[in-house]
Amino acid sequence: RASPLAVRPAIGASRWSRAAPSQLFASVSGPVYTADDEAAPTVTLFTKEGCTLCDKVKDTLREVSSDIPHSMVAVDITDDENEKWFGMYKYDIPVLHLNGVYWAKHRLEAA
């Protein structure tokens, strides 16, 4: 039986990952938004396509971004190059890192 494959379209097109033999999902890796202040911290959101808890965390952080400037980058744990993160976080997403250091997981509420 063949292992799941990653399908890579031409340069400039979106990348697709195969999560299961019958399903193709778009990668959600990449910048979500960038703060105007280059010194603002970066939040890394470990996520995957279809993660509704991840969407809620992303919305919460976007809502506070004008008061608490930060940038956000998403890392899709199902991408082939993110096997390490998949092994660590497959049962815990959303997981957040702040400037590369673990910060929170599962839920986040604005104070």
Side-chain angles (χ1 to χ4, degrees), residues 43-55:
V43 175
T44 303
L45 170 65
F46 293 89
T47 185
K48 68 176 185 174
E49 177 72 24
C51 175
T52 57
L53 285 177
C54 300
D55 293 339

Side-chain angles (χ1 to χ4, degrees), residues 27 29 59 79:
S27 173
S29 287
D59 291 345
D79 289 350

Side-chain angles (χ1 to χ4, degrees), residues 29-95:
S29 287
V32 178
Y33 53 84
T34 305
D36 292 332
D37 181 359
E38 291 181 19
T42 298
V43 175
T44 303
L45 170 65
F46 293 89
T47 185
K48 68 176 185 174
E49 177 72 24
C51 175
T52 57
L53 285 177
C54 300
D55 293 339
K56 289 178 182 179
V57 164
K58 193 184 321 180
D59 291 345
T60 299
L61 285 169
R62 189 182 304 269
E63 287 173 13
V64 301
S65 65
S66 60
D67 295 328
I68 307 169
H70 63 277
S71 297
M72 181 183 288
V73 176
V75 174
D76 189 326
I77 64 169
T78 64
D79 289 350
D80 290 341
E81 64 271 18
N82 295 326
E83 186 175 333
K84 168 189 173 183
W85 301 120
F86 181 80
M88 290 174 66
Y89 296 145
K90 63 186 166 194
Y91 302 119
D92 288 320
I93 60 171
V95 174

